[in-house]
Amino acid sequence: MTDPGEEAAEETKPRQNPWLLAAAAALIAVPVLVGFVMLRNNSNDIPADVVGGTTTPGGGMGGNTSGGSGGDRQAAGVGDFAEIQANEIKLDFDPDTGSAILKVDTSIGVACAVTYGPTTGLGSLSTDTDMAGGAHANHHPKLIGLTAGPVWYRVQAIAPDGKLYQSELLQFDFPEGSGGVPAVQPPLPNVASRARVSEVSSEYSDAYGAANAIDGDLATEWSSAGDGDAAYIVLDFGENMRVRGVGFRTRQMTDGTSITNTFTVTVGGKTYGPFEAGPGLAIGLFDASGQTVRIDVDTSTGGNTGAVEIEVYAEPEM
Protein backbone atom coordinates (compact mmCIF):
# COMPACT_ATOMS: atom_id res chain seq x y z
CA MET A 1 0.00 0.00 0.00
CA THR A 2 1.55 3.29 -1.10
CA ASP A 3 2.01 5.93 1.58
CA PRO A 4 0.37 9.33 0.88
CA GLY A 5 3.71 11.08 1.00
CA GLU A 6 5.20 8.68 -1.51
CA GLU A 7 2.26 9.17 -3.89
CA ALA A 8 2.79 12.92 -3.76
CA ALA A 9 6.48 12.47 -4.56
CA GLU A 10 5.60 10.37 -7.61
CA GLU A 11 3.77 13.34 -9.16
CA THR A 12 7.07 15.20 -9.63
CA LYS A 13 8.61 12.47 -11.78
CA PRO A 14 8.52 12.43 -15.63
CA ARG A 15 5.32 10.94 -16.99
CA GLN A 16 5.53 7.36 -18.19
CA ASN A 17 3.18 5.03 -20.05
CA PRO A 18 0.29 4.64 -17.57
CA TRP A 19 -0.64 1.17 -18.86
CA LEU A 20 2.89 -0.15 -18.29
CA LEU A 21 2.99 1.37 -14.80
CA ALA A 22 -0.38 -0.13 -13.90
CA ALA A 23 0.72 -3.58 -15.05
CA ALA A 24 3.99 -3.35 -13.11
CA ALA A 25 2.23 -2.16 -9.97
CA ALA A 26 -0.25 -5.01 -10.11
CA LEU A 27 2.51 -7.56 -10.68
CA ILE A 28 4.47 -6.36 -7.65
CA ALA A 29 1.94 -5.04 -5.13
CA VAL A 30 -0.72 -7.74 -5.23
CA PRO A 31 1.58 -10.71 -4.51
CA VAL A 32 3.28 -8.73 -1.71
CA LEU A 33 -0.06 -8.19 0.01
CA VAL A 34 -1.04 -11.81 -0.52
CA GLY A 35 2.32 -12.88 0.85
CA PHE A 36 1.84 -10.65 3.89
CA VAL A 37 -1.45 -12.40 4.68
CA MET A 38 0.26 -15.77 4.28
CA LEU A 39 3.11 -14.55 6.49
CA ARG A 40 0.80 -13.37 9.27
CA ASN A 41 -1.15 -16.62 9.21
CA ASN A 42 2.06 -18.62 9.25
CA SER A 43 3.49 -16.51 12.09
CA ASN A 44 0.44 -17.15 14.23
CA ASP A 45 1.21 -20.88 14.08
CA ILE A 46 4.56 -20.37 15.81
CA PRO A 47 4.45 -20.89 19.59
CA ALA A 48 4.99 -17.72 21.60
CA ASP A 49 7.86 -19.35 23.51
CA VAL A 50 9.99 -20.06 20.41
CA VAL A 51 13.42 -18.48 20.94
CA GLY A 52 15.38 -17.71 17.80
CA GLY A 53 18.36 -15.86 19.27
CA THR A 54 19.46 -12.33 18.46
CA THR A 55 20.31 -10.77 15.12
CA THR A 56 23.00 -8.13 15.13
CA PRO A 57 24.20 -5.84 12.33
CA GLY A 58 26.53 -7.87 10.13
CA GLY A 59 25.39 -11.06 11.84
CA GLY A 60 25.25 -13.32 8.81
CA MET A 61 22.94 -14.06 5.92
CA GLY A 62 19.46 -13.38 7.21
CA GLY A 63 20.79 -12.79 10.71
CA ASN A 64 22.24 -15.23 13.24
CA THR A 65 19.70 -17.33 15.10
CA SER A 66 20.57 -19.65 17.93
CA GLY A 67 18.64 -22.81 18.64
CA GLY A 68 18.39 -23.95 15.00
CA SER A 69 15.46 -23.61 12.62
CA GLY A 70 13.29 -26.40 14.01
CA GLY A 71 10.88 -23.87 15.48
CA ASP A 72 10.49 -21.92 12.25
CA ARG A 73 9.32 -22.49 8.69
CA GLN A 74 8.39 -20.56 5.59
CA ALA A 75 4.87 -20.77 4.22
CA ALA A 76 4.27 -23.67 1.81
CA GLY A 77 5.14 -22.84 -1.80
CA VAL A 78 7.23 -19.79 -0.87
CA GLY A 79 10.90 -19.56 -1.82
CA ASP A 80 13.64 -19.04 0.77
CA PHE A 81 14.81 -15.41 0.83
CA ALA A 82 18.38 -16.71 1.18
CA GLU A 83 18.17 -17.83 -2.47
CA ILE A 84 18.26 -14.20 -3.63
CA GLN A 85 20.03 -12.58 -0.67
CA ALA A 86 23.31 -11.07 -1.84
CA ASN A 87 24.84 -9.92 1.46
CA GLU A 88 24.35 -9.84 5.20
CA ILE A 89 21.36 -8.09 6.73
CA LYS A 90 22.52 -4.95 8.54
CA LEU A 91 20.51 -2.89 11.02
CA ASP A 92 21.09 0.79 11.82
CA PHE A 93 19.38 1.63 15.12
CA ASP A 94 18.06 5.02 16.23
CA PRO A 95 16.86 4.38 19.80
CA ASP A 96 15.90 8.00 20.46
CA THR A 97 13.29 7.93 17.68
CA GLY A 98 12.31 4.28 18.14
CA SER A 99 13.30 3.33 14.60
CA ALA A 100 15.73 1.17 12.67
CA ILE A 101 16.81 0.92 9.03
CA LEU A 102 17.17 -2.63 7.70
CA LYS A 103 19.66 -2.87 4.84
CA VAL A 104 20.00 -5.83 2.48
CA ASP A 105 20.83 -6.39 -1.20
CA THR A 106 19.34 -9.02 -3.49
CA SER A 107 20.84 -10.73 -6.52
CA ILE A 108 17.77 -9.86 -8.61
CA GLY A 109 15.42 -6.90 -8.68
CA VAL A 110 12.48 -7.40 -6.31
CA ALA A 111 9.91 -5.46 -4.31
CA CYS A 112 10.82 -5.84 -0.64
CA ALA A 113 8.87 -5.64 2.62
CA VAL A 114 9.51 -6.44 6.29
CA THR A 115 6.93 -7.56 8.84
CA TYR A 116 7.93 -7.07 12.47
CA GLY A 117 6.74 -6.76 16.05
CA PRO A 118 7.56 -7.41 19.71
CA THR A 119 6.21 -11.00 19.51
CA THR A 120 6.15 -13.80 16.95
CA GLY A 121 2.71 -12.51 15.96
CA LEU A 122 4.56 -9.57 14.28
CA GLY A 123 1.78 -7.05 13.43
CA SER A 124 3.61 -4.18 11.66
CA LEU A 125 4.60 -3.87 8.01
CA SER A 126 7.28 -1.71 6.39
CA THR A 127 7.78 -1.48 2.64
CA ASP A 128 10.97 -0.34 0.94
CA THR A 129 10.62 3.42 0.46
CA ASP A 130 12.82 3.38 -2.67
CA MET A 131 10.56 1.03 -4.65
CA ALA A 132 9.26 3.91 -6.82
CA GLY A 133 6.75 1.55 -8.40
CA GLY A 134 9.32 -1.01 -9.54
CA ALA A 135 11.73 -3.74 -8.47
CA HIS A 136 15.36 -3.09 -7.50
CA ALA A 137 18.26 -4.76 -5.69
CA ASN A 138 19.22 -2.39 -2.85
CA HIS A 139 16.71 -2.29 -0.02
CA HIS A 140 16.46 -0.32 3.22
CA PRO A 141 12.94 -0.27 4.70
CA LYS A 142 12.45 1.70 7.92
CA LEU A 143 10.98 0.02 11.01
CA ILE A 144 9.23 2.48 13.32
CA GLY A 145 7.53 2.43 16.73
CA LEU A 146 10.20 0.19 18.26
CA THR A 147 10.82 -0.08 22.00
CA ALA A 148 13.77 -1.51 23.92
CA GLY A 149 13.86 -5.30 23.88
CA PRO A 150 13.47 -8.16 21.39
CA VAL A 151 11.94 -7.50 17.97
CA TRP A 152 10.86 -10.37 15.70
CA TYR A 153 10.85 -9.90 11.94
CA ARG A 154 10.70 -11.52 8.50
CA VAL A 155 12.00 -10.19 5.20
CA GLN A 156 10.00 -11.02 2.11
CA ALA A 157 10.19 -10.07 -1.54
CA ILE A 158 8.27 -10.52 -4.77
CA ALA A 159 10.10 -10.96 -8.05
CA PRO A 160 8.84 -9.63 -11.41
CA ASP A 161 7.84 -13.18 -12.38
CA GLY A 162 5.47 -13.28 -9.39
CA LYS A 163 7.53 -15.61 -7.18
CA LEU A 164 7.41 -14.82 -3.47
CA TYR A 165 10.50 -15.19 -1.26
CA GLN A 166 10.43 -15.20 2.54
CA SER A 167 13.09 -15.38 5.23
CA GLU A 168 12.93 -17.39 8.42
CA LEU A 169 11.58 -15.72 11.53
CA LEU A 170 14.48 -13.59 12.78
CA GLN A 171 15.09 -11.48 15.86
CA PHE A 172 17.18 -8.57 17.08
CA ASP A 173 17.40 -6.68 20.36
CA PHE A 174 16.50 -3.01 20.06
CA PRO A 175 18.58 -0.86 22.44
CA GLU A 176 17.19 1.55 24.99
CA GLY A 177 17.36 5.19 23.98
CA SER A 178 18.15 8.30 25.97
CA GLY A 179 15.19 10.24 24.58
CA GLY A 180 11.63 9.50 23.54
CA VAL A 181 8.46 9.45 25.60
CA PRO A 182 8.64 8.12 29.18
CA ALA A 183 6.75 4.87 29.69
CA VAL A 184 3.36 5.34 31.36
CA GLN A 185 1.10 2.47 32.33
CA PRO A 186 -2.54 2.68 31.09
CA PRO A 187 -4.81 3.33 34.09
CA LEU A 188 -7.78 1.43 32.62
CA PRO A 189 -8.41 -0.99 29.72
CA ASN A 190 -8.36 0.41 26.18
CA VAL A 191 -11.98 0.72 24.99
CA ALA A 192 -11.41 2.77 21.81
CA SER A 193 -12.79 -0.01 19.61
CA ARG A 194 -16.20 0.46 21.27
CA ALA A 195 -16.47 3.99 19.86
CA ARG A 196 -17.34 5.20 16.38
CA VAL A 197 -15.63 8.01 14.51
CA SER A 198 -18.20 10.83 14.47
CA GLU A 199 -15.96 13.52 12.96
CA VAL A 200 -12.51 13.81 11.40
CA SER A 201 -10.55 16.70 9.89
CA SER A 202 -9.94 14.75 6.66
CA GLU A 203 -8.93 11.34 5.26
CA TYR A 204 -6.27 10.93 2.61
CA SER A 205 -8.19 8.01 1.06
CA ASP A 206 -10.43 5.10 2.00
CA ALA A 207 -7.30 3.02 2.63
CA TYR A 208 -6.20 5.60 5.22
CA GLY A 209 -9.63 6.08 6.81
CA ALA A 210 -10.13 7.41 10.34
CA ALA A 211 -11.53 4.08 11.57
CA ASN A 212 -8.04 2.61 11.14
CA ALA A 213 -6.97 4.61 14.20
CA ILE A 214 -9.17 2.51 16.53
CA ASP A 215 -9.11 -0.93 14.86
CA GLY A 216 -6.36 -2.35 17.11
CA ASP A 217 -4.18 -3.14 14.07
CA LEU A 218 -0.70 -1.58 13.95
CA ALA A 219 -0.47 -2.42 10.23
CA THR A 220 -3.18 0.15 9.38
CA GLU A 221 -3.34 3.87 10.04
CA TRP A 222 -5.40 7.03 9.66
CA SER A 223 -3.83 9.71 7.51
CA SER A 224 -5.23 13.19 7.00
CA ALA A 225 -5.00 14.90 3.63
CA GLY A 226 -2.21 17.31 4.50
CA ASP A 227 -3.81 18.77 7.65
CA GLY A 228 -0.56 19.12 9.61
CA ASP A 229 -1.27 20.75 13.00
CA ALA A 230 -4.99 21.08 12.11
CA ALA A 231 -5.66 17.33 12.10
CA TYR A 232 -8.23 16.01 14.56
CA ILE A 233 -10.54 13.05 15.18
CA VAL A 234 -13.64 12.71 17.35
CA LEU A 235 -14.70 9.40 18.94
CA ASP A 236 -18.30 8.90 20.13
CA PHE A 237 -18.99 6.18 22.71
CA GLY A 238 -22.77 6.62 22.73
CA GLU A 239 -22.79 6.97 26.53
CA ASN A 240 -20.96 8.93 29.20
CA MET A 241 -17.54 7.52 29.98
CA ARG A 242 -15.10 8.12 32.81
CA VAL A 243 -11.93 8.77 30.82
CA ARG A 244 -8.61 8.49 32.63
CA GLY A 245 -6.25 8.89 29.70
CA VAL A 246 -5.56 8.55 25.97
CA GLY A 247 -2.76 6.74 24.14
CA PHE A 248 -1.48 8.01 20.77
CA ARG A 249 0.76 6.33 18.18
CA THR A 250 1.76 8.89 15.56
CA ARG A 251 2.08 7.99 11.90
CA GLN A 252 5.28 9.18 10.28
CA MET A 253 7.05 9.31 6.95
CA THR A 254 10.66 8.28 6.51
CA ASP A 255 11.44 11.80 5.21
CA GLY A 256 10.60 13.24 8.64
CA THR A 257 7.13 14.58 7.83
CA SER A 258 3.72 13.63 9.26
CA ILE A 259 5.07 13.19 12.79
CA THR A 260 2.87 14.42 15.65
CA ASN A 261 5.04 15.94 18.37
CA THR A 262 2.28 16.91 20.82
CA PHE A 263 -1.47 16.31 21.01
CA THR A 264 -4.42 17.49 23.09
CA VAL A 265 -7.59 15.72 24.23
CA THR A 266 -11.01 17.32 24.75
CA VAL A 267 -13.65 15.58 26.89
CA GLY A 268 -16.79 17.16 28.33
CA GLY A 269 -15.91 20.57 26.89
CA LYS A 270 -12.51 20.73 28.62
CA THR A 271 -9.17 20.34 26.85
CA TYR A 272 -6.23 18.47 28.41
CA GLY A 273 -2.59 18.58 27.39
CA PRO A 274 -0.66 19.13 25.31
CA PHE A 275 0.93 15.71 25.75
CA GLU A 276 4.17 14.58 24.11
CA ALA A 277 3.83 12.07 21.27
CA GLY A 278 6.05 9.42 19.71
CA PRO A 279 7.96 7.33 19.15
CA GLY A 280 5.77 4.35 19.92
CA LEU A 281 2.81 4.63 22.26
CA ALA A 282 2.56 8.00 24.06
CA ILE A 283 0.05 8.21 26.93
CA GLY A 284 -1.53 11.35 28.34
CA LEU A 285 -3.22 10.97 31.74
CA PHE A 286 -6.16 13.03 33.05
CA ASP A 287 -9.58 12.51 34.65
CA ALA A 288 -12.73 13.54 32.77
CA SER A 289 -16.27 12.49 31.92
CA GLY A 290 -18.12 12.71 28.62
CA GLN A 291 -19.62 10.88 25.66
CA THR A 292 -17.15 12.07 23.03
CA VAL A 293 -13.36 12.18 23.02
CA ARG A 294 -11.66 14.58 20.61
CA ILE A 295 -7.94 14.22 19.85
CA ASP A 296 -6.19 17.16 18.15
CA VAL A 297 -2.69 17.31 16.70
CA ASP A 298 -1.14 20.22 18.60
CA THR A 299 2.31 20.43 16.98
CA SER A 300 3.80 18.31 14.20
CA THR A 301 6.33 18.20 11.38
CA GLY A 302 3.48 18.95 8.95
CA GLY A 303 2.08 16.99 6.04
CA ASN A 304 -0.36 14.08 6.17
CA THR A 305 -0.52 13.82 9.95
CA GLY A 306 -2.65 11.17 11.62
CA ALA A 307 -2.37 8.14 13.87
CA VAL A 308 -1.41 4.50 13.58
CA GLU A 309 -3.52 3.81 16.66
CA ILE A 310 -5.41 5.74 19.33
CA GLU A 311 -6.26 4.16 22.68
CA VAL A 312 -8.84 5.43 25.16
CA TYR A 313 -8.55 4.25 28.77
CA ALA A 314 -12.04 4.55 30.16
CA GLU A 315 -15.07 2.83 31.67
CA PRO A 316 -18.81 3.60 31.59
CA GLU A 317 -19.77 6.25 34.08
CA MET A 318 -22.08 4.96 36.78
Side-chain angles (χ1 to χ4, degrees), residues 246 248 260 262-266 271-275 286 294-299:
V246 165
F248 190 93
T260 297
T262 59
F263 67 98
T264 62
V265 183
T266 302
T271 299
Y272 302 88
F275 303 107
F286 54 91
R294 172 171 170 149
I295 299 95
D296 284 80
V297 173
D298 180 55
T299 60

Side-chain angles (χ1 to χ4, degrees), residues 1 13 43 50 52 54 67 70 104 165 171 175-176 183 215 225 249 270 273 290 304:
M1 180 168 62
K13 297 183 179 181
S43 298
V50 171
T54 301
V104 65
Y165 297 88
Q171 183 188 27
E176 185 173 357
D215 64 358
R249 291 183 184 270
K270 185 175 181 180
N304 301 316

Side-chain angles (χ1 to χ4, degrees), residues 196-202 210 222 232-236 293-294:
R196 67 178 181 88
V197 177
S198 60
E199 190 178 347
V200 66
S201 57
S202 69
W222 158 54
Y232 70 89
I233 185 172
V234 180
L235 308 180
D236 190 334
V293 177
R294 172 171 170 149

Side-chain angles (χ1 to χ4, degrees), residues 23-286:
L27 179 63
I28 295 171
V30 173
V32 167
L33 293 176
V34 172
F36 177 50
V37 173
M38 293 171 63
L39 179 145
R40 292 190 69 177
N41 291 339
N42 182 49
S43 298
N44 291 336
D45 293 336
I46 301 173
D49 59 352
V50 171
V51 178
T54 301
T55 300
T56 57
M61 299 286 278
N64 285 341
T65 56
S66 61
S69 59
D72 186 35
R73 54 184 172 84
Q74 282 88 22
V78 176
D80 190 341
F81 185 77
E83 296 177 24
I84 60 170
Q85 188 173 340
N87 61 356
E88 299 176 345
I89 290 178
K90 297 182 182 296
L91 290 157
D92 290 343
F93 299 130
D94 188 351
D96 290 343
T97 62
S99 65
I101 302 293
L102 185 148
K103 299 178 180 179
V104 65
D105 297 340
T106 50
S107 57
I108 60 174
V110 295
C112 184
V114 178
T115 50
Y116 62 97
T119 69
T120 55
L122 306 179
S124 296
L125 173 67
S126 175
T127 56
D128 196 330
T129 56
D130 287 342
M131 284 172 55
H136 60 282
N138 308 113
H139 314 281
H140 42 85
K142 184 174 185 178
L143 286 59
I144 63 174
L146 304 178
T147 56
V151 177
W152 298 86
Y153 72 100
R154 286 186 191 273
V155 183
Q156 68 176 29
I158 183 69
D161 63 2
K163 184 172 181 179
L164 179 67
Y165 297 88
Q166 183 184 98
S167 75
E168 294 183 343
L169 186 65
L170 304 171
Q171 183 188 27
F172 63 83
D173 285 328
F174 191 69
E176 185 173 357
S178 58
V181 178
V184 177
Q185 293 299 314
L188 288 173
N190 172 29
V191 295
S193 61
R194 294 171 50 181
R196 67 178 181 88
V197 177
S198 60
E199 190 178 347
V200 66
S201 57
S202 69
E203 297 172 324
Y204 183 84
S205 67
D206 290 343
Y208 289 89
N212 289 342
I214 55 173
D215 64 358
D217 187 350
L218 296 181
T220 65
E221 59 186 40
W222 158 54
S223 170
S224 68
D227 291 345
D229 295 353
Y232 70 89
I233 185 172
V234 180
L235 308 180
D236 190 334
F237 285 90
E239 61 179 326
N240 274 357
M241 304 290 288
R242 172 84 180 276
V243 183
R244 300 289 301 279
V246 165
F248 190 93
R249 291 183 184 270
T250 180
R251 77 177 304 270
Q252 65 180 46
M253 291 287 294
T254 56
D255 63 1
T257 64
S258 307
I259 300 173
T260 297
N261 294 320
T262 59
F263 67 98
T264 62
V265 183
T266 302
V267 182
K270 185 175 181 180
T271 299
Y272 302 88
F275 303 107
E276 291 187 24
L281 178 64
I283 297 178
L285 299 179
F286 54 91

